Amino acid sequence: EGKRCAETLFFDYKRQHNLDIKVARLFNTYGPNMHPDDGRVVSNFIVQALQGNPITIYGDGSQTRSFCYIDDMIDALVKLMSMPKDFSGPINLGNPFEFKILELAKLVISLTNSSSKIHYKKLPHDDPIRRRPDINLAKEKLLWSPKVELKEGLISTIEYFKAALKF
């Protein structure tokens, strides 16, 4: 709700003060320079795997997410900022290809050569079962779609965390 409130305020300022605004809705961005404790699933899984700790999955891992590599997101944001003043959004930016959380955990374990096991916890009642952006507007207006596949992005993200955490 906080994000929707902020969007409303931005559009109000645009109307009242003739400001050039751009509203982007970002979906699960990941990549190098993430903070190890930021609470996102990609960084959580990588750090847990590198430390040999259990990989924590909430629910059975069948819920899906779509992960967008930072280079693709930056490309989309630069294109959005370059759009004429008459296009403000909102626009969804992310990778529409869905992965089950369990698939992500197994891929991270494999790419890190970790001995981590998967530990299941109760799914919070407010956790969405599916999270996938509709990027048709981004394709149409920005002529953009993500290019980096999850495995490729995870490899560079893992290398970053290995260096940052000194593994």
Side-chain angles (χ1 to χ4, degrees), residues 67-107:
F67 302 101
C68 189
Y69 190 66
I70 186 66
D71 291 358
D72 286 332
M73 186 60 70
I74 290 170
D75 183 43
L77 290 169
V78 168
K79 288 177 184 256
L80 176 60
M81 293 299 122
S82 301
M83 291 295 291
K85 190 174 181 175
D86 66 343
F87 182 79
S88 296
I91 191 165
N92 293 334
L93 301 176
N95 191 326
F97 191 78
E98 292 176 90
F99 281 87
K100 291 181 180 178
I101 293 298
L102 182 58
E103 291 175 328
L104 175 68
K106 289 178 178 179
L107 183 56

Side-chain angles (χ1 to χ4, degrees), residues 70-145:
I70 186 66
D71 291 358
D72 286 332
M73 186 60 70
I74 290 170
D75 183 43
L77 290 169
V78 168
K79 288 177 184 256
L80 176 60
M81 293 299 122
S82 301
M83 291 295 291
K85 190 174 181 175
D86 66 343
F87 182 79
S88 296
I91 191 165
N92 293 334
L93 301 176
N95 191 326
F97 191 78
E98 292 176 90
F99 281 87
K100 291 181 180 178
I101 293 298
L102 182 58
E103 291 175 328
L104 175 68
K106 289 178 178 179
L107 183 56
V108 167
I109 289 169
S110 172
L111 293 174
T112 57
N113 295 311
S114 178
S115 61
S116 293
K117 303 296 181 207
I118 295 174
H119 176 71
Y120 295 93
K121 288 190 171 182
K122 185 177 180 184
L123 182 69
H125 72 280
D126 60 347
D127 193 47
I129 299 301
R130 184 177 191 213
R131 204 144 159 142
R132 178 185 174 271
D134 176 349
I135 65 165
N136 286 324
L137 188 61
K139 287 179 178 179
E140 176 190 333
K141 297 287 187 181
L142 307 179
L143 304 176
W144 174 86
S145 61

Side-chain angles (χ1 to χ4, degrees), residues 7-19 21:
E7 284 183 14
T8 300
L9 290 173
F10 273 91
F11 281 106
D12 286 345
Y13 270 81
K14 176 184 176 169
R15 282 188 292 278
Q16 292 175 7
H17 303 288
N18 196 30
L19 292 177
I21 69 163

